[in-house]
């Protein structure tokens, strides 16, 4: 008996529907059909008046969620793919994100973004948008990497009084399994050290945590002990845990699946360079996807994103400095 | 049923003395306030721009009067001072926001026509046009989910230019699919900033679009108070009665620039001198007097009273402090995260 990452997301929504009458689900094909990835399978049958199919109108979906949140509800909006949230960009960053600052009225909406690449998905079904949303004041951006985090962080997201961008990685949906959902969850805003080490720190989030652990396993054979930090939330960013790790290892590699210009890895490197310069024994490094759209062909795609091989290569250079 | 709700019955709205006097009072109050705002802008006393609703008061105030404060929702746009006033917004909310008082509803964090009280049925607009349509739809949707829709109506205003946005289309289509009691009033003032209708849309009349959305559609002469009274109250009545979204297209002309920085020199002379170039406040005054709903003396009395009110609201806001950057809580989040540093906006030396 095991539970997958997407089972955890479905389970969290079921828990929320059961326990919080303010919660409703709004998205394309999420009612009877159960969602493009089946994250809401069976929920409409159990809660027919709280799980809604909606028109292909990402802008209006978020606008509706903001209006409903103003009136006391806790909507969860499913974007069919993170990429399509670009259509809702205005409502997310200008309406939802500015609302509490401008008016003192919070808009607690949760936007689920099926994120990241999978083989053969191409430029418009593969994007990682966390860095873009984290850039805007007024948003919380979560990037769970484990089955338990997928569950607990979605529950936590709906409980927060701010708009939350919940980035769930499509590659992890069915690949990542756990025996059970643990109850030892951390609060939002705290990173987790998923593997301890002393020679270098890899800071990663979402699916890249697993690629980083694989890379660390390989380097272990050569005698290197790599520490891997899972950020869990990219905003807020738990820089204290990162700095404490860098203090132990003296070396930093930040790994992300998003495009390379700016973004989460750049923020981590900038923060460590600014606040922990004296802790570093080597220039802090970052590894991201390449600076092209996400390619369609599996061979191109596999070489576009960071892999255990490319992470190992980057770490070897870092360790040799 | 409240007093004004009882009055806002469409069949009689255009002949109802008290309803029309109430609408006209809001028109007049808004006009006097906006004239003052214009003067303050020209004197350099305003923080930011000034956007006026001159020429659109009849439509705006009629809608605001047909709605019930405390029950309905109203998301005004930039030319809705009259509607805001009719819906119960105190003058001081306006003057505080324009004059940058920290006491205003936006506390200096946002300005001029962007003010609102979202927790009290009056969302605060963003500049991206069309975006409020789905927000009002969401407010109504929430009330329906809570089993508390209870004859509520949500309304928003928009211009001819905003009907070209994807947000307008998405919002109105979604409201139609959800069959929400939403009233969208399109003030077709013929120019979106400087762009004329023939560079904005290709249909003969924007009201034709209502059919495409599967919603109710009305067209009205926005310079005619009596016409506005009967058409807008009918649209609100239908939405309230569960007949789904209603769109009202009001034909009019903005009698000012886009903002007070704009002289509107792009409006041709024959359009200014044409039917829609007439001043709806003057038309309404004539209609009230001719129908014996009010006397000239009464209206003069209102003018003096409103001018004094405006003067007081301006004076009070001018005496109040501006926001203090040293006391400002520089966070956009409602949540506090004790375990995570806020993003430093200043250099941090370890």
């Amino acid at each position: 008996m095991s539970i997958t990452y997407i089972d955890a997301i479905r389970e969290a929504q079921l828990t929320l529907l059961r326990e919080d009458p303010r919660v409703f689900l709004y998205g394309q094909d999420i009612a009877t059909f159960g969602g493009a990835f089946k994250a809401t399978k069976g929920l409409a049958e159990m809660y027919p008046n709280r799980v809604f199919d909606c028109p292909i109108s990402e802008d209006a979906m978020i606008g509706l969620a903001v209006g409903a949140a103003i009136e006391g509800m806790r909507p969860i909006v499913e974007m069919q793919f993170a990429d399509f949230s670009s259509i809702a960009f205005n409502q997310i960053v200008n309406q939802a994100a500015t609302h509490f600052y401008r008016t003192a009225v919070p808009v607690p909406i949760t936007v689920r973004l099926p994120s990241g690449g999978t083989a053969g998905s191409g430029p418009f079904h593969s994007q990682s948008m966390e860095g873009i949303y984290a850039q805007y004041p007024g948003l919380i951006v979560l990037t769970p990497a484990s089955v338990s985090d997928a569950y607990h962080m979605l529950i936590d997201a709906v409980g927060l009084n701010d708009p939350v961008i919940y980035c769930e990685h499509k590659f992890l949906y069915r690949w990542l399994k756990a025996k059970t959902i643990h109850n030892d969850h951390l609060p939002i805003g705290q990173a987790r050290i998923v593997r301890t080490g002393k020679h270098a720190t890899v800071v990663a989030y979402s699916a890249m945590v697993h690629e980083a652990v694989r890379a660390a396993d390989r380097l272990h054979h050569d005698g290197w002990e790599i520490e891997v930090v899972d950020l869990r939330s990219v905003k807020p960013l738990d820089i204290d845990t990162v700095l404490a790790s860098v203090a132990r290892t003296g070396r930093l590699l930040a790994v992300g699946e998003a495009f390379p210009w700016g973004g989460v890895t750049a923020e981590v490197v900038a923060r460590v360079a600014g606040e922990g310069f004296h802790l570093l024994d080597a220039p802090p490094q970052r590894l991201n996807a390449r600076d092209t759209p996400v390619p369609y062909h599996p061979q191109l795609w596999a070489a576009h994103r960071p892999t255990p091989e490319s992470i190992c290569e980057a770490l070897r250079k870092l360790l040799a400095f | 049923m409240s007093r004004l709700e009882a009055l806002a019955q469409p069949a009689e709205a255009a002949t109802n003395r008290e309803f029309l006097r109430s609408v006209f009072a809001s028109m007049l109050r808004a006009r006097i306030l906006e004239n003052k705002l214009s003067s303050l802008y020209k004197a350099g006393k305003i923080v930011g721009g000034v956007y006026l609703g001159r020429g659109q008061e009849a439509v705006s105030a009629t809608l605001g009067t047909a709605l019930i404060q405390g029950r309905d929702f109203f998301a005004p746009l930039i030319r809705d001072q009259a509607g805001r006033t009719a819906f119960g917004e105190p003058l001081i909310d306006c003057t505080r926001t324009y004059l940058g008082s920290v006491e205003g509803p936006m506390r200096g964090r946002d300005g001029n026509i962007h003010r609102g009280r979202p927790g009290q049925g009056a969302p605060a607009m963003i500049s991206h046009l069309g975006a409020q349509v789905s927000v009002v739809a969401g407010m109504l949707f929430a009330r329906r989910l809570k089993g508390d829709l209870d004859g509520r109506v949500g309304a928003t205003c928009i211009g001819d230019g905003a009907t070209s946005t994807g947000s307008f289309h998405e919002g109105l289509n979604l409201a139609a699919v959800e069959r929400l009691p939403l009233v969208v009033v399109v003030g077709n003032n013929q120019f979106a900033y400087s762009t004329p209708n023939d560079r904005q849309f290709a249909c003969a009349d924007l009201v034709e679009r209502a059919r495409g959305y599967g919603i109710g559609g009305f067209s009205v002469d926005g310079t005619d108070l009596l016409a506005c009274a009967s058409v807008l109250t009918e649209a609100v009545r239908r939405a309230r009665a569960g007949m789904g979204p209603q769109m009202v297209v009001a034909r009019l002309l903005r009698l000012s620039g886009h903002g007070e920085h704009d002289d509107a020199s792009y409006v041709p002379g024959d359009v200014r001198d044409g039917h829609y170039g007439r001043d709806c406040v003057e038309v309404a005054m004539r209609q009230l007097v001719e129908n014996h709903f009010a006397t000239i003396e009464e209206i003069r009395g209102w003018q003096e009273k409103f001018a004094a009110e405006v003067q007081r609201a301006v004076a009070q806001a001018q005496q109040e402090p501006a926001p203090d950057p040293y006391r400002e809580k520089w966070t956009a989040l409602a949540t506090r995260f004790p375990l995570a540093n806020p993003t430093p906006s200043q250099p941090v030396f370890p």
Side-chain angles (χ1 to χ4, degrees), chain A residues 118-136:
Chain A
T118 49
S121 294
F124 312 115
H125 294 76
S126 302
Q127 292 169 29
S128 299
M129 314 273 289
E130 62 280 351
I132 291 168
Y133 291 116
Q135 170 75 41
Y136 275 85

Side-chain angles (χ1 to χ4, degrees), chain B residues 1-20 22-23 64-69 71-72 151 229 233-234 236-237 240:
Chain B
M1 202 181 275
S2 74
R3 186 181 59 89
L4 278 177
E5 189 187 354
L7 295 172
Q9 294 305 302
E12 52 180 276
T15 55
N16 188 295
R17 182 174 185 273
E18 202 167 340
F19 181 80
L20 293 168
S22 179
V23 175
T65 310
L67 299 172
I68 301 156
Q69 195 193 4
R71 190 207 281 184
D72 293 336
T233 51
E234 175 62 13
V236 170
R237 184 194 69 80
R240 214 183 284 290

Side-chain angles (χ1 to χ4, degrees), chain A residues 302-314:
Chain A
H304 181 268
R305 70 203 284 265
T307 57
E309 292 76 25
S310 64
I311 297 170
C312 277
E313 192 190 332

Side-chain angles (χ1 to χ4, degrees), chain B residues 160 163-164 188 197-210 213 247 249:
Chain B
D160 42 297
T163 64
S164 305
N188 180 4
N197 278 175
D198 66 353
R199 298 301 302 165
Q200 199 65 245
F201 52 86
C203 53
D205 189 326
L206 286 171
V207 77
E208 291 172 11
R209 294 192 182 172
Y213 289 115
M247 180 164 91
V249 179

Side-chain angles (χ1 to χ4, degrees), chain A residues 243 246 250 269-284, chain B residues 348 350:
Chain A
L243 285 168
V246 172
V269 166
R271 296 282 293 272
V272 170
E275 298 172 48
F277 192 68
H278 58 298
L279 305 173
L280 290 162
D281 296 328
Chain B
V348 177

